[in-house]
Amino acid sequence: MNMFTQDFYSKKYICLLLALLPLLGFSQKKFTVILDAGHGGSDIGANRSYSDLGIVREKDVTLGVVLKLGKMLEKNRDFKVIYTRKIDEYPSLTSRTDLANRNKADFFISVHVNSSPGSSITTQGTETFVQGPNQNKANLEVAKAENEVIFLDENDKQNFANYDPRSPESLIALKIQQSKYLEASQWFGGLVEENFVKKDKRYSRGVKQADLHVLRKNAMPSVLIETGFVNNYEDAKYLSSEKGQQEVAESIYNALLDYRKALSGGFAVREPDPVKPAEVPMKNDFRILLMSTPSRYNDNDPALKGLNYILPIKENNVYKYYYAVTNLPSVRDNNLKTAKDAGFRNAMAISFLPNQTLGFGYYTLEVAVSNDKLKSDSPILKTLKDVERTKEKGIFYYTYGKFKTLEDAVTAQKDIENKGIKNSIIQKVLK
């Protein structure tokens, strides 16, 4: 797992935990956990609409996970559970942290669902954030996304009115706060992410630091867990299911058991797992070729076996159906496994050079195939200008546009889909 360092699991960490015991205020009292279901009420958080799943909303997923986690904790006499919300409402960020501090909580867990920027649909996996300095631009963007809700409540307006996340002074202040709890939070985050990978077979993006308002004022170890990406179909399907939410809750619960056991003296520190290097994106994109066939299939055709994100490309009168796209080796391999599990036993990963310009020829969009000519008032001809018509073996083929790169063709395809022209297919013309 690329996110863990040996320090988190080495025997030296026992000394760190022993040093933290007085600081964390651990005793024989019940271990108080604040469970925070991110967003809520009018703030629905990240969301995405799918034809088969409906609208997957962050506020619903987080509440589902938190209630399941809380139910497990409530059955354990060693824990006391306090919820920031148990219904669809929006508690202010101030009230969430005040609740934790007022109850002298031992740990604060905020559950969220991620969303990647732009139109990306391949980014997936879990990640756990702890309070700390920004490490890269991507972490900062996550922090800003979570911080966007701070003005939804009057208390937050008063508390954060002078806080500018772009200000160097504000960032310095954030870096100073809660440093004494950072190590404990990181260790717990490592336990959570390890459970996601080993128990749930999820892809982990690691334990990271980011300046998030919901963590910055907590006087106890705190984490914000991003349970997956709502704009990735596989993640969204998993997180919107009862099974997925239950597995996420169980992984967090088991991490809490291990964490508390370590604090109470029952140290069970495992030998460190081999540390894998951070995954490096490849120069090329990879799509999974499902099949090559003279038959044309539309979206949701049974021949596609329920897979989404299919990109058909026609070449030399053969339709090639590609599934998903990524430049990460692990995601490529996972996509290939998904395709084979769906029944495409001969599926293979095909390399595409991003934004490669064709040396000769071009890409076009095949918008219609018909035994008869389209009437002049057909929706396609009325919507699109300069549609070309050819006839082969008694069949009329209608194409639109000429594009030098595949990416340009994909962009144009999405554009005409927004205009109501569905089921077009990219055609590669070599001449």
Side-chain angles (χ1 to χ4, degrees), residues 240-263:
S240 61
S241 69
E242 288 292 314
K243 177 179 180 292
Q245 292 178 15
Q246 183 65 32
E247 288 182 355
V248 170
E250 288 176 358
S251 287
I252 301 172
Y253 175 74
N254 290 335
L256 275 169
L257 293 183
D258 289 344
Y259 178 86
R260 189 180 187 282
K261 184 177 181 181
L263 292 185

Side-chain angles (χ1 to χ4, degrees), residues 191-239:
L191 294 176
V192 172
E193 292 296 321
E194 184 180 32
N195 287 344
F196 285 153
V197 171
K198 292 188 173 181
K199 184 181 77 68
D200 303 332
K201 311 305 179 185
R202 306 284 305 285
Y203 172 69
S204 172
R205 300 165 62 85
V207 180
K208 304 177 181 179
Q209 294 177 265
D211 301 315
L212 303 174
H213 279 301
V214 77
L215 302 182
R216 66 187 280 257
K217 286 191 172 184
N218 291 336
M220 76 282 305
S222 307
V223 296
L224 185 149
I225 302 171
E226 297 281 9
T227 55
F229 284 79
V230 73
N231 54 333
N232 177 279
Y233 177 78
E234 298 302 328
D235 275 4
K237 182 178 180 180
Y238 179 80
L239 293 174

Side-chain angles (χ1 to χ4, degrees), residues 221-338:
S222 307
V223 296
L224 185 149
I225 302 171
E226 297 281 9
T227 55
F229 284 79
V230 73
N231 54 333
N232 177 279
Y233 177 78
E234 298 302 328
D235 275 4
K237 182 178 180 180
Y238 179 80
L239 293 174
S240 61
S241 69
E242 288 292 314
K243 177 179 180 292
Q245 292 178 15
Q246 183 65 32
E247 288 182 355
V248 170
E250 288 176 358
S251 287
I252 301 172
Y253 175 74
N254 290 335
L256 275 169
L257 293 183
D258 289 344
Y259 178 86
R260 189 180 187 282
K261 184 177 181 181
L263 292 185
S264 62
F267 295 104
V269 180
R270 296 182 294 274
E271 290 300 315
D273 293 327
V275 178
K276 296 181 180 180
E279 188 169 24
V280 179
M282 298 174 289
K283 292 182 179 179
N284 288 4
D285 291 332
F286 281 84
R287 292 179 168 85
I288 307 303
L289 177 61
L290 302 176
M291 59 180 170
S292 298
T293 173
S295 302
R296 171 174 172 159
Y297 300 113
N298 291 331
D299 294 343
N300 301 318
D301 191 290
L304 301 179
K305 300 180 180 180
L307 292 180
N308 291 279
Y309 314 124
I310 304 296
L311 178 68
I313 300 179
K314 182 181 179 183
E315 185 175 352
N316 296 325
N317 292 318
V318 173
Y319 296 93
K320 299 180 179 180
Y321 293 85
Y322 295 93
Y323 167 64
V325 60
T326 184
N327 63 354
L328 292 176
S330 63
V331 180
R332 174 201 60 193
D333 296 343
N334 184 63
N335 290 341
L336 180 58
K337 181 180 184 301
T338 298

